[in-house]
mmCIF file of all heavy atoms in Angstrom:
data_model
loop_
_atom_site.group_PDB
_atom_site.id
_atom_site.type_symbol
_atom_site.label_atom_id
_atom_site.label_comp_id
_atom_site.label_asym_id
_atom_site.label_seq_id
_atom_site.Cartn_x
_atom_site.Cartn_y
_atom_site.Cartn_z
ATOM 1 N N GLY X 85 -136.817 0.208 -33.931
ATOM 2 C CA GLY X 85 -136.751 -1.061 -34.653
ATOM 3 C C GLY X 85 -137.899 -1.224 -35.631
ATOM 4 O O GLY X 85 -137.907 -2.109 -36.462
ATOM 5 N N ALA X 109 -156.295 -5.347 -59.085
ATOM 6 C CA ALA X 109 -154.844 -5.092 -59.089
ATOM 7 C C ALA X 109 -154.360 -4.802 -57.672
ATOM 8 O O ALA X 109 -155.002 -4.064 -56.930
ATOM 9 C CB ALA X 109 -154.520 -3.918 -60.004
ATOM 10 N N ASP X 152 -146.541 7.584 -35.697
ATOM 11 C CA ASP X 152 -146.568 8.943 -36.223
ATOM 12 C C ASP X 152 -147.079 8.964 -37.649
ATOM 13 O O ASP X 152 -147.546 9.993 -38.157
ATOM 14 C CB ASP X 152 -145.190 9.571 -36.149
ATOM 15 C CG ASP X 152 -144.158 8.804 -36.957
ATOM 16 O OD1 ASP X 152 -143.678 7.760 -36.469
ATOM 17 O OD2 ASP X 152 -143.839 9.226 -38.067
ATOM 18 N N GLY X 173 -164.344 9.425 -39.837
ATOM 19 C CA GLY X 173 -164.201 8.743 -38.558
ATOM 20 C C GLY X 173 -162.865 8.015 -38.549
ATOM 21 O O GLY X 173 -162.454 7.421 -39.551
ATOM 22 N N LEU X 211 -164.570 15.547 -37.768
ATOM 23 C CA LEU X 211 -163.750 14.380 -37.414
ATOM 24 C C LEU X 211 -164.218 13.775 -36.110
ATOM 25 O O LEU X 211 -164.417 14.500 -35.121
ATOM 26 C CB LEU X 211 -162.274 14.808 -37.292
ATOM 27 C CG LEU X 211 -161.287 13.737 -36.808
ATOM 28 C CD1 LEU X 211 -161.160 12.634 -37.843
ATOM 29 C CD2 LEU X 211 -159.928 14.369 -36.528
ATOM 30 N N GLN X 212 -164.403 12.467 -36.109
ATOM 31 C CA GLN X 212 -164.693 11.735 -34.876
ATOM 32 C C GLN X 212 -163.635 10.670 -34.674
ATOM 33 O O GLN X 212 -163.486 9.771 -35.497
ATOM 34 C CB GLN X 212 -166.074 11.086 -34.932
ATOM 35 C CG GLN X 212 -166.432 10.317 -33.657
ATOM 36 C CD GLN X 212 -166.463 11.198 -32.429
ATOM 37 O OE1 GLN X 212 -167.216 12.185 -32.370
ATOM 38 N NE2 GLN X 212 -165.629 10.895 -31.437
ATOM 39 N N ASP X 242 -160.188 -3.808 -20.964
ATOM 40 C CA ASP X 242 -160.917 -4.883 -20.280
ATOM 41 C C ASP X 242 -162.355 -5.019 -20.761
ATOM 42 O O ASP X 242 -163.036 -5.996 -20.442
ATOM 43 C CB ASP X 242 -160.861 -4.706 -18.754
ATOM 44 C CG ASP X 242 -161.378 -3.369 -18.275
ATOM 45 O OD1 ASP X 242 -161.910 -2.595 -19.122
ATOM 46 O OD2 ASP X 242 -161.260 -3.078 -17.079
ATOM 47 N N LEU X 246 -165.130 -10.432 -26.792
ATOM 48 C CA LEU X 246 -166.341 -10.874 -27.463
ATOM 49 C C LEU X 246 -167.510 -11.105 -26.517
ATOM 50 O O LEU X 246 -168.667 -11.005 -26.909
ATOM 51 C CB LEU X 246 -166.040 -12.153 -28.250
ATOM 52 C CG LEU X 246 -165.063 -11.972 -29.422
ATOM 53 C CD1 LEU X 246 -164.870 -13.294 -30.157
ATOM 54 C CD2 LEU X 246 -165.535 -10.889 -30.380
ATOM 55 N N GLU X 248 -168.416 -9.168 -24.211
ATOM 56 C CA GLU X 248 -169.053 -7.869 -24.026
ATOM 57 C C GLU X 248 -169.162 -7.134 -25.361
ATOM 58 O O GLU X 248 -169.050 -5.912 -25.416
ATOM 59 C CB GLU X 248 -168.266 -7.025 -23.013
ATOM 60 C CG GLU X 248 -168.173 -7.624 -21.634
ATOM 61 C CD GLU X 248 -167.347 -6.765 -20.693
ATOM 62 O OE1 GLU X 248 -167.870 -5.756 -20.184
ATOM 63 O OE2 GLU X 248 -166.162 -7.103 -20.474
ATOM 64 N N ASN X 264 -169.060 9.845 -42.933
ATOM 65 C CA ASN X 264 -169.131 9.340 -44.310
ATOM 66 C C ASN X 264 -168.115 8.251 -44.593
ATOM 67 O O ASN X 264 -168.407 7.256 -45.266
ATOM 68 C CB ASN X 264 -168.924 10.477 -45.307
ATOM 69 C CG ASN X 264 -169.977 11.550 -45.214
ATOM 70 O OD1 ASN X 264 -169.699 12.674 -44.802
ATOM 71 N ND2 ASN X 264 -171.208 11.226 -45.577
ATOM 72 N N SER X 287 -147.347 -5.352 -24.113
ATOM 73 C CA SER X 287 -148.085 -5.462 -22.859
ATOM 74 C C SER X 287 -148.821 -6.789 -22.832
ATOM 75 O O SER X 287 -149.399 -7.192 -23.849
ATOM 76 C CB SER X 287 -149.098 -4.321 -22.722
ATOM 77 O OG SER X 287 -149.984 -4.556 -21.649
ATOM 78 N N ILE X 300 -163.024 -5.448 -37.298
ATOM 79 C CA ILE X 300 -162.705 -5.210 -38.703
ATOM 80 C C ILE X 300 -163.875 -5.626 -39.588
ATOM 81 O O ILE X 300 -164.241 -4.908 -40.539
ATOM 82 C CB ILE X 300 -161.430 -5.990 -39.083
ATOM 83 C CG1 ILE X 300 -160.200 -5.356 -38.396
ATOM 84 C CG2 ILE X 300 -161.239 -6.030 -40.590
ATOM 85 C CD1 ILE X 300 -158.943 -6.188 -38.485
ATOM 86 N N ILE X 310 -162.082 3.676 -46.034
ATOM 87 C CA ILE X 310 -161.408 4.358 -47.133
ATOM 88 C C ILE X 310 -159.922 4.040 -47.186
ATOM 89 O O ILE X 310 -159.288 4.141 -48.241
ATOM 90 C CB ILE X 310 -161.613 5.883 -47.036
ATOM 91 C CG1 ILE X 310 -161.070 6.586 -48.277
ATOM 92 C CG2 ILE X 310 -160.976 6.465 -45.770
ATOM 93 C CD1 ILE X 310 -161.416 8.066 -48.355
ATOM 94 N N PRO X 319 -139.681 -5.918 -35.543
ATOM 95 C CA PRO X 319 -139.187 -7.276 -35.764
ATOM 96 C C PRO X 319 -138.046 -7.702 -34.840
ATOM 97 O O PRO X 319 -137.837 -8.904 -34.645
ATOM 98 C CB PRO X 319 -138.718 -7.253 -37.218
ATOM 99 C CG PRO X 319 -139.520 -6.159 -37.853
ATOM 100 C CD PRO X 319 -139.628 -5.111 -36.779
ATOM 101 N N GLU X 336 -155.133 -9.015 -44.734
ATOM 102 C CA GLU X 336 -155.822 -9.919 -45.655
ATOM 103 C C GLU X 336 -157.303 -10.020 -45.299
ATOM 104 O O GLU X 336 -158.169 -9.989 -46.192
ATOM 105 C CB GLU X 336 -155.164 -11.304 -45.616
ATOM 106 C CG GLU X 336 -155.657 -12.267 -46.688
ATOM 107 C CD GLU X 336 -156.922 -13.022 -46.301
ATOM 108 O OE1 GLU X 336 -157.205 -13.144 -45.096
ATOM 109 O OE2 GLU X 336 -157.640 -13.478 -47.218
#
Side-chain angles (χ1 to χ4, degrees):
D152 60 281
L211 175 67
Q212 181 60 59
D242 56 6
L246 294 182
E248 298 178 78
N264 298 112
S287 169
I300 290 169
I310 188 172
E336 189 275 338

